[in-house]
Amino acid sequence: MLKTHRVLLLLSFFLLSACRSSEFNLDLEQQVEGATLLQFSKEGGFVLPPIPDSNPLTDGKAELGRHLFYDKRLSGNQTQSCESCHIQALAFTDGKALPQGSTGETLALNSQSLTNVAYNASYTWWNPILIRIEDQLFIPLTGDTPVELGINDGNLNTVLQRFRDDPSYQALFAAAFPNETDPYTLVNVAKALASFSRILISDRSAFDKGQLSDSAKRGQQLFFSESLECFHCHNGFNFSSSTVTINTRFPERVFFNNGLYNLNNNGSYPEDIQGKFKVTADWNDMGAFRPPTLRNIELTAPYMHDGSIATLEDVIDFYAAGGRNVTSGANQGDGRLNPYKSDFVNGFTLSAQEKTDLLNFLKSLTDYEFIADPRFANPFPAAEL
Ligand code: HEC
Ligand code: HEC
């Protein structure tokens, strides 16, 4: 289980750094300069995502980031890379309910998809104050409650030296940080990984190409209907109401409780995974999580912040029931009656055909070019890792 005091310490640090540097670069010309890797669809595609002034996007940084993302030398004990939990074929999730870090500790949260991660108004499932990928990355890199990649004060220099000593990384770091004599720092590692994360743009699904089957078209109608209400929370081009672009002046960071739990019949979620409540301690935020993008949702099972729903069919049944009644065990309680549940999660009835239609619409958001795109793929020959 997570030790909360450590997390809070981390959070206060992030709050401070967020205040200092929450300015995003809104100069479009400046943002795209040199960043040919940042591909946006030509026909009616997405507007640019916000990019922090402190870390302009360049091809050099994204390419260094790609190498680091797939390199197990980035973990203290060299057993894990970012890819261990974020696999391209699974839209950068890992297929597990809960992942384990490099020293075997189980995490409390499900590995998130990195699909269009540049556009998220906040980072992680639950945290409203982590608003830059750069800041979020210090958790997998250096977090110790639980350990993920396990970089710490004791091994930081050893980890950085692995890259300083490697001729191919010497070239990559030089291209990424051309004006620095010793660019081998954790801050630069985070900048490169954030740059790589930002180019993971998925906009080539059947939905984007207007290639919906008749069934998927009917499912789209259902998705956007006032009876199912899905679109209130999963809306906009990224199917998440917590989305920002270069044009967003006043970001909305929204979080919802969709009725997964109701411990003690007082609305509680299981300890340590209580959503935004963990930061605000406001009961109205109990069980409130950021609505995830539904792009590539077919590939990212199991679902929800704790991976507690196995299939997309089960997710639809869950919403149809208006929440989840956990009838036994430690998490017993009727989530349908959770007092903090959103008014948009009320339950509905679907025929078998309508359920298939909704599923087909969700599957139309799968982007097969994204998961096969060589620019996002492991750059190392198979034998090397
Ligand atoms: C041990 C598994 C694990 C490893 C290793 C890992 N992650 Fe994650 N990642 C997660 C989990 C779990 C979350 C959700 C965390 C939460 O909600 O608190 C996440 C969240 C993220 C997010 C936020 C996504 C969003 O939509 O808010 C980004 C970005 C990310 N990871 C990138 C990386 C990068 C880059 C690395 C390598 C430095 C990495 N991760 C290593 C499991 C992992
Ligand atoms: C009140 C806002 C709201 C409504 C309405 C809503 N969702 Fe969600 N959805 C969320 C939130 C928040 C989560 C994450 C909850 C969690 O992990 O605890 C989520 C999670 C999901 C997931 C799992 C995502 C993942 O990456 O694991 C799917 C699939 C999904 N919703 C589909 C739908 C569909 C289909 C509908 C309509 C039937 C719908 N949602 C209605 C807010 C909403």
Side-chain angles (χ1 to χ4, degrees):
M1 275 288 147
L2 285 166
K3 293 191 203 93
T4 316
H5 61 279
R6 273 304 179 85
V7 173
L8 289 179
L9 264 181
L10 264 177
L11 290 180
S12 40
F13 164 74
F14 289 129
L15 251 186
L16 289 174
S17 60
C19 292
R20 273 201 308 272
S21 51
S22 61
E23 292 295 304
F24 286 108
N25 188 345
L26 295 173
D27 180 342
L28 190 135
E29 291 298 315
Q30 213 177 323
Q31 282 201 50
V32 288
E33 192 190 342
T36 51
L37 271 167
L38 188 62
Q39 289 279 323
F40 296 91
S41 80
K42 313 288 177 287
E43 309 110 32
F46 308 160
V47 257
L48 287 166
I51 292 167
D53 276 344
S54 53
N55 189 21
L57 185 60
T58 65
D59 288 353
K61 272 187 270 186
E63 189 58 5
L64 170 62
R66 179 164 76 113
H67 283 74
L68 291 168
F69 188 92
Y70 286 99
D71 197 330
K72 290 184 177 163
R73 286 176 287 178
L74 189 59
S75 56
N77 62 11
Q78 310 196 59
T79 59
Q80 270 197 351
S81 66
C82 308
E83 188 204 18
S84 304
C85 303
H86 300 287
I87 301 165
Q88 185 182 13
L90 300 177
F92 297 96
T93 59
D94 60 4
K96 297 175 188 154
L98 300 176
Q100 290 186 325
S102 60
T103 57
E105 284 184 82
T106 300
L107 278 58
L109 291 137
N110 175 261
S111 297
Q112 283 178 299
S113 168
L114 302 185
T115 298
N116 296 332
V117 73
Y119 292 98
N120 290 338
S122 62
Y123 291 98
T124 74
W125 287 96
W126 54 277
N127 192 328
I129 60 175
L130 279 179
I131 59 168
R132 300 188 319 172
I133 302 176
E134 285 80 354
D135 298 334
Q136 192 275 331
L137 289 182
F138 281 88
I139 298 175
L141 289 169
T142 64
D144 59 359
T145 50
V147 170
E148 293 181 54
L149 295 180
I151 300 177
N152 54 43
D153 289 344
N155 64 23
L156 174 61
N157 286 333
T158 311
V159 171
L160 295 174
Q161 196 64 36
R162 290 173 193 153
F163 303 114
R164 201 184 267 117
D165 288 343
D166 180 328
S168 54
Y169 273 102
Q170 288 162 9
L172 287 162
F173 270 92
F177 302 102
N179 303 320
E180 299 184 26
T181 44
D182 185 20
Y184 306 92
T185 65
L186 196 59
V187 168
N188 281 350
V189 165
K191 283 183 175 176
L193 287 166
S195 298
F196 174 64
S197 303
R198 286 198 176 97
I199 67 167
L200 301 176
I201 304 292
S202 173
D203 60 0
R204 292 170 284 174
S205 65
F207 171 78
D208 295 307
K209 294 175 180 169
Q211 295 166 351
L212 296 194
S213 65
D214 289 342
S215 168
K217 278 182 194 153
R218 290 192 301 268
Q220 181 178 11
Q221 300 267 309
L222 289 166
F223 185 90
F224 286 96
S225 69
E226 291 295 345
S227 128
L228 270 64
E229 318 269 24
C230 315
F231 72 100
H232 289 291
C233 307
H234 301 282
N235 57 34
F237 69 89
N238 203 32
F239 294 89
S240 160
S241 40
S242 227
T243 301
V244 285
T245 72
I246 192 172
N247 298 327
T248 311
R249 298 286 156 165
F250 304 102
E252 278 191 58
R253 301 194 167 91
V254 292
F255 294 79
F256 295 102
N257 175 322
N258 61 0
L260 285 167
Y261 296 103
N262 186 10
L263 274 64
N264 309 314
N265 287 319
N266 68 359
S268 290
Y269 268 43
E271 200 190 350
D272 280 332
I273 42 173
Q274 298 177 323
K276 191 182 169 195
F277 175 83
K278 190 162 171 170
V279 175
T280 63
D282 176 346
W283 275 81
N284 293 311
D285 295 328
M286 175 55 79
F289 291 85
R290 190 191 76 201
T293 179
L294 297 185
R295 288 182 172 275
N296 296 316
I297 198 71
E298 182 185 6
L299 306 171
T300 66
Y303 300 103
M304 305 297 168
H305 68 271
D306 57 357
S308 61
I309 299 188
T311 66
L312 267 186
E313 287 85 342
D314 293 346
V315 171
I316 294 175
D317 292 344
F318 156 80
Y319 280 113
R324 179 169 63 189
N325 185 12
V326 182
T327 52
S328 62
N331 296 332
Q332 194 173 342
D334 192 345
R336 296 172 300 180
L337 305 176
N338 190 308
Y340 306 106
K341 190 182 74 165
S342 163
D343 293 341
F344 291 126
V345 181
N346 291 316
F348 47 81
T349 310
L350 291 183
S351 68
Q353 182 60 51
E354 286 171 327
K355 190 174 164 185
T356 303
D357 292 343
L358 181 58
L359 263 177
N360 284 336
F361 171 63
L362 294 173
K363 290 179 180 175
S364 79
L365 300 173
T366 305
D367 181 344
Y368 294 99
E369 291 175 45
F370 176 72
I371 59 170
D373 194 320
R375 296 168 306 163
F376 310 150
N378 190 335
F380 300 106
E384 233 183 86
L385 285 184

